[in-house]
Amino acid sequence: MNKFLYGKLTPEAIPHHWYTIGGTVFIIITAIALIIYLTISKRWGWLWNEWFTSTDPKKIGTMYMIFATLMFFRGMLDAGMVWLQQSIAADSQGYLTADHFQQIFTSHGDIMVFFVTMGFFFGLMNWIVPLQIGARDLAFPFLNSLGLWLTIAGGLLINFFFIVGGDFANTGWLAIASFSELEFNPGVGVDYLIWSLQLSGLGSLLAGINFLVTIIKKRAPGMTLMKMPLFTWNSLCAMVLIISAFPVLTATTLLLWLDRAFGMHFFTLDYAGNQMMYWNLIWMWGHPEVYILVIPAFGMFSEIVSTFSQKPVSGYLSMVWAAISITALSYLVWLHHFFVMGAGPDVNSFFGIVTMLIAIPAGVQVFNWILTMYKGRVNLASPMYWFIGFLIIFMIGGMAGIFMASPPADFQVHNSLFLVAHFHTMIVGVALFGIFAGLTFWFPKIFGFKLNEHLDKRAFWFWFIGFFVAFIPLYLLGFMGAPRRIDHYDSSTGWQPLYITALIGYIFISCGIFTQVYLVLKSIKQRKNNLDVSGDPWNGRTLEWAAHSPPPFYNFAVVPPIQSHQPFWDLKEQGWKPEQKYHDIECFKNTGIGIYISIFAFLAGFAVVWQIIWLIAVGLVGIIACVITLSFDDEMEYVLPAEEVAKIEKLYVSRVSYDGNG
Amino acid sequence: MTEMDEAIETNDTKVFGFWVYLMTDLVIFAVLFACYIVLRANTYGGPTPKELFHLPSVLAETLILLTSSFTCSLGMLAVHRQLKNWAIAWFIMTFLLGGAFLCIEISEFIEFVGKGASWQRSAFLSSFFTLVGTHGLHISFGLLWMVVMMFRIALRPLTEHSVSRIFRMALFWHFLDFVWIFIFTVVYGIGYLL
Amino acid sequence: MKTKFLIGIFTIVLAVIGIAFVLTSKHALVFHPKGIIAQKELELIITNIILMLIIIVPTYIFLFAVVWKYCIKKDKAKYDPEHSYGPIGELIMWVLPAIVVVIMSTVTWEITHKLDPYKPLESEDKPLTVQIIALNWKWLFIYPEQGIAALNYFHIPDHTPIHLNLAADHSPMNSFWIPQLSGQIYSMAGMRTQLYLMANEIGEYTGKAVEINGEGYADMTFHVKSTSKNDFETWVKEIKESSKNHLSEKAYNELVKPEVNKSVIFYSEVEPDLYNKIIHKYMYPPNQVL
């Protein structure tokens, strides 16, 4: 009876290790404080109606970004704990047990990849892609809300071991088999990993379908594919990768779960399971995933360099084809993640050579970015700092990548800290710098006022210097024979000074983060002095700058005409003024069903982890009931009459002047 | 744009989006097929495909499913012609055929487990049960969706919007038939003959 | 402005000196090969770095020149928003990196085949066969021709090709790495992987496990010793005569139990065909005949 009621739950599941309890207490106190605040200020209704149930991609985008920021702090805390352990664990066990240390870097990886980078990218895409293509909303507004809430449910599940369970997976971020099988990991940690990835993976997949259909079907009249701005092009390529790769993740982690929950033998050591199959499948997802993380950043940087160089991006056609080729090639390289598995020289060389081919479009992009600045008149605003920092770091990371693409060279650096340095170079130097640059660049559009330039530049320097101090030692440690993921080592290896240097780099980066927090707070305080009244603070070239800052929920009252891949620049040169003739606008209603489905999904996910069968049934039935209810709702849209549109526009138009000077 | 044009465009977008979703579902099946092909010889000294598979029942399942696709198309035709009663009749027929398919499949599973050839016996059996079982799970969801659509036909007017929803359900059903052709060939056909 | 620039240059120079210092020190194992495979791999590493620098250094120079002229000293620079290189320029941009990549690809194809871990080394000496089993969390080395075994101790004669046959037992994917002798190879249950290596000189090294496999992962190191052929023969003889340990099936099963074991144990007798038995047991149930 107890097994039916509680599944695998026992009193042991209440967190009782000193290190987990810190997190438990923090989460509980924060949650209670938030509940008290919302109740006292009577903002529950506002939160529910204005934000949670919204299907407006701008609100959804903001929620994605707030969620990603919270997860970012958790991920950075994990990183700090890892660095501290490695700095002191020479000839000693340090302050963490091996198991705990392994749990920390596992959650660090999953949180940073799935919730921080993807969260920020979906946030920015939600905001900017519809504006750039002149659309009012995504193709499927309900799915947008559902995708957000499933991602948040996944984020809640990945942190839930702090409340129930006490242990997370210790397998590394990909839950690699056969280490993640029951034989080596009988606890629930791996299940928490699998199911939080399933939930957020489903959210990402839905968002991917949504953006793909939006970009293909919802562009403004006159915007052909070859007139799309580069951020939208790169987002499209990333979406193609998402819809083709994420199902592989869903299927593969599902099979791992079937092994663990039903005693199947896909990847087990016994009963003729094949663990190499897991490696192939997970990297067939994993490699496109890492390109999903960097391709949107490339797009953002293209927008930024052309805007601030006051020149169209050099080689638009090449840039488009570069993005497409990187997308196509990313499907053909997965084996380079395990050259050392002994696939033989023919197979290894093939994958190595195809990996090297990616250097060609990457190189083309770098040349074009530099050429965009050439003969431009560059305004060194803070997004340009992030851009130049990115270019410098990207080439180092790219070099390291091509270096490892050669199998025999990889044999000496695989799974060493050289590898860790390479992928952090790409994720921090490309994806994260891209996010910071994009946030600074589009901040005035999103919030209606600019960020404090000076503080942002200072944050950049902390990050830029911190990056080198933190990661160059890791490249060197790889050459010194230091494996990744080790929790202690002998001091005779000579590694400790470099680990300590890396820790100093982390401290620099933390200063950068504190500066960024202070930056946001100070900018909010000073916002009245930095208002973006015209909607065009940077003398932009693409359509999002034609909208108000921040735009009304319908984006454009009248969609401007599109003539080239820099539509707003053309309009400014022609002295275009928006006509005041307004039409009725079809809008999508708010809905709470996305939240309800995600709550049931979270309950089902939690129940699956602990094998509480009745709760799984409740969750599944709940989801199905919500979907059926939704299917009978034919009134999800409403019409905003033209007079209402006129009223809203009047509030903005008085502030705007389209004389091209911003 | 007129209201009708906007409605058509929205439904077009929804159908396009649904096709994109079907492609992602196909990728999931592709992974399961890849696993099956890699693991089909990993019987760990246990039951092999030749020993287990019963081609007559597989043939029956295939004919039933193909027929159900046909009846589903007839139902869709009726929907387009606003013939509610015929539509419901044909979908009930499709539902019964789908149900029969599931019965045969479940009895096959029960028979295997009874013989000691459960999903825990070997990697081959794990991948067999997962691939065929996932298809069966999709069929179950398809049947549920069909029932919901039948209620819609009965209770709501057959607007463009409704027709588009029913069309997507029919598309899903045909897609499952398409996947079954591959299962029939790769799992049972190749497994039995090679 | 000028001070910031000078500080920047100074820091970069200091960093480069630091990097050179680290890489030339004896701790930079990959850069101080003691075996022929590691040596060839280092040659490849340096070739690759040079080939990439050929593209990267000019690009950096170009970047800094453009930043200097158009971002920092932009008042003196010409502003030409219509500027474009046209289709020929775009073509050159694709072709230049393509040429470097083609060169690197050719090198890669050849060298990957030459340095295939499964490829026997050219030598007049007959290769010494060693069978290696990765266990949680220790390494077992069996010398089938000599009939001895050692735990966490890998002793080889120098200037002799060594043919490693690897596997694992009740341990997930493992990676076997002696950085100064050669690159890594995975060892896993139910499969035989191979690696050929040869030590160039006499020395002592530490071997490592490089694929996470549990709590004892960081403790899964082993001693490596390469000595002259005579010293190696002496060592084998010593073990056969004096060691009382027998690697029977029972003793082996004790070793398989998951616990960290850093001790060095020598076995004078080994259960016959132990290695093959360990691999085959994963393919068929125990009661079935092969």
Side-chain angles (χ1 to χ4, degrees), chain A residues 98-99 102 105 170-172 176 178-179 183-184 269-272 275-276 279 309-312 314-318 321-322 325 337-338 340-342 344-346 348-350 352-353 356-357 359-361 363-364 366-368 370-371 373-380 384 388 391-393 395-396 399 402-403 405-416 472 476 478-488 492-495 498 569, chain C residues 18-19 22-23 25-31 37-38 41-42 44-46 48-49 52-53 55-56 59-60 62-64 66-67 70-72 74 77-85 90-99 101 104-106 108-109 111-113 115-118 136 169-173 175 177-189 191 193 208-219 221 262 282-283:
Chain A
D99 183 56
Q102 292 165 359
F105 64 66
N170 60 351
T171 53
I176 215 87
S178 52
F179 184 36
E183 183 180 349
F184 305 106
L269 291 186
D270 53 356
Y271 286 90
Q275 56 180 332
M276 292 189 289
W279 283 73
S309 303
Q310 311 200 56
K311 212 172 143 251
S314 163
Y316 173 84
L317 195 63
S318 283
W321 280 106
S325 3
H337 296 272
F338 46 95
V340 296
M341 205 186 272
D346 291 333
N348 276 353
S349 323
F350 169 77
I353 291 172
M356 287 184 189
L357 289 178
I360 302 174
V364 165
V366 169
F367 295 150
N368 274 318
I370 303 176
L371 282 171
M373 292 191 288
Y374 179 74
K375 295 225 168 116
R377 195 188 297 137
V378 180
N379 168 14
L380 272 182
M384 280 303 280
I388 294 173
L391 268 185
I392 295 173
I393 294 177
M395 288 201 270
I396 296 176
M399 239 187 9
I402 300 303
F403 169 101
S406 192
D410 184 66
F411 293 161
Q412 283 285 51
V413 293
H414 173 72
N415 266 0
S416 71
I472 298 291
L476 298 175
F479 286 135
M480 292 165 79
R484 68 192 291 206
R485 296 175 167 166
I486 48 168
D487 49 281
H488 64 267
S492 61
T493 53
W495 296 339
L498 286 165
W569 191 259
Chain C
I19 292 172
V22 169
L23 290 180
S25 85
K26 63 174 167 69
H27 291 299
L29 303 179
V30 173
F31 276 72
I37 300 288
E41 281 166 355
L42 180 63
L44 172 67
I45 287 173
I46 294 181
N48 276 351
I49 292 179
M52 285 185 293
L53 285 177
I55 282 271
I56 297 280
T59 314
Y60 270 122
F62 182 39
L63 170 65
F64 290 131
V66 166
V67 168
Y70 295 97
C71 307
I72 299 175
K74 55 186 173 225
K78 180 164 178 235
Y79 173 46
D80 182 10
E82 305 295 318
H83 175 88
S84 127
Y85 276 105
E90 285 195 44
L91 195 65
I92 295 178
M93 259 192 276
W94 283 89
V95 164
L96 273 179
I99 292 177
V101 167
M104 288 183 73
S105 303
T106 328
T108 301
W109 180 269
I111 198 84
T112 307
H113 282 79
L115 289 177
D116 173 19
Y118 284 48
N136 276 7
D169 196 1
H170 285 290
S171 185
M173 196 70 74
S175 190
W177 195 26
I178 310 170
Q180 289 185 280
L181 292 185
S182 87
Q184 304 164 40
I185 187 78
Y186 274 177
S187 64
M188 59 193 110
M191 294 254 129
T193 49
K208 309 155 200 284
V210 207
E211 179 63 44
I212 188 173
N213 54 16
E215 276 184 325
Y217 166 57
D219 283 319
T221 53
K262 296 196 79 155
Y282 282 97
M283 266 308 157

Side-chain angles (χ1 to χ4, degrees), chain C residues 56-261:
Chain C
I56 297 280
V57 168
T59 314
Y60 270 122
I61 294 175
F62 182 39
L63 170 65
F64 290 131
V66 166
V67 168
W68 181 255
K69 186 160 185 203
Y70 295 97
C71 307
I72 299 175
K73 294 272 177 230
K74 55 186 173 225
D75 304 313
K76 300 194 188 140
K78 180 164 178 235
Y79 173 46
D80 182 10
E82 305 295 318
H83 175 88
S84 127
Y85 276 105
I88 304 286
E90 285 195 44
L91 195 65
I92 295 178
M93 259 192 276
W94 283 89
V95 164
L96 273 179
I99 292 177
V100 176
V101 167
V102 165
I103 296 174
M104 288 183 73
S105 303
T106 328
V107 170
T108 301
W109 180 269
E110 279 183 35
I111 198 84
T112 307
H113 282 79
K114 271 212 196 103
L115 289 177
D116 173 19
Y118 284 48
K119 187 156 166 269
L121 293 173
E122 284 173 18
S123 166
E124 306 128 5
D125 289 304
K126 184 172 156 297
L128 170 69
T129 307
V130 184
Q131 293 162 341
I132 302 175
I133 301 169
L135 302 162
N136 276 7
W137 287 280
K138 39 207 152 334
W139 294 91
L140 185 61
F141 297 87
I142 300 175
Y143 297 78
E145 290 151 9
Q146 287 76 12
I148 61 167
L151 188 71
N152 293 323
Y153 196 86
F154 184 42
H155 189 154
I156 53 173
D158 73 341
H159 291 103
T160 315
I162 317 287
H163 180 198
L164 286 76
N165 297 273
L166 301 103
D169 196 1
H170 285 290
S171 185
M173 196 70 74
N174 283 280
S175 190
F176 177 89
W177 195 26
I178 310 170
Q180 289 185 280
L181 292 185
S182 87
Q184 304 164 40
I185 187 78
Y186 274 177
S187 64
M188 59 193 110
M191 294 254 129
R192 175 175 82 126
T193 49
Q194 300 175 56
L195 181 63
Y196 278 86
L197 55 79
M198 184 158 77
N200 281 347
E201 48 186 90
I202 294 172
E204 283 192 40
Y205 318 107
T206 310
K208 309 155 200 284
V210 207
E211 179 63 44
I212 188 173
N213 54 16
E215 276 184 325
Y217 166 57
D219 283 319
M220 204 165 146
T221 53
F222 56 95
H223 299 280
V224 183
K225 195 166 177 180
S226 99
T227 59
S228 69
K229 295 194 185 60
N230 287 335
D231 285 341
F232 177 73
E233 298 299 331
T234 316
W235 174 75
V236 173
K237 227 162 114 196
E238 249 175 57
I239 292 180
K240 282 207 92 80
E241 283 164 9
S242 61
S243 169
K244 304 238 183 344
N245 298 314
H246 295 196
L247 191 57
S248 60
E249 231 185 279
K250 190 157 164 255
Y252 175 74
N253 287 334
E254 280 299 305
L255 282 181
V256 173
K257 291 201 185 129
E259 58 186 4
V260 173
N261 188 344

Side-chain angles (χ1 to χ4, degrees), chain A residues 262 265 271-272 631-632 634, chain B residues 42 120-121 126 152 156 161:
Chain A
F262 288 94
H265 295 292
Y271 286 90
S631 130
F632 278 105
D634 289 336
Chain B
N42 289 28
Q120 298 183 345
R121 178 65 187 78
S126 297
R152 173 172 278 272
R156 295 272 169 93
H161 174 73

Side-chain angles (χ1 to χ4, degrees), chain A residues 139-140 209 213 217 243-244 247-248 251 255 258 262-266 271-272 274 277 281 624 628 631-632 634, chain B residues 13-14 17 24 27-28 32 35 38-39 42 44 119-123 126-127 130 144 148 152 156 161 165:
Chain A
F140 308 118
I209 298 177
V213 176
K217 288 275 185 184
I243 63 167
S244 43
V248 177
L255 297 179
L258 287 175
F262 288 94
M264 294 210 192
H265 295 292
F266 285 97
Y271 286 90
N274 190 338
M277 187 84 204
L281 288 173
I624 293 176
I628 294 180
S631 130
F632 278 105
D634 289 336
Chain B
T13 308
K14 291 197 175 167
T24 68
V27 173
I28 293 185
L32 298 180
C35 280
V38 168
L39 296 174
N42 289 28
Y44 198 59
W119 51 85
Q120 298 183 345
R121 178 65 187 78
S122 67
S126 297
S127 60
T130 307
L144 179 62
V148 174
R152 173 172 278 272
R156 295 272 169 93
H161 174 73
R165 280 183 178 271

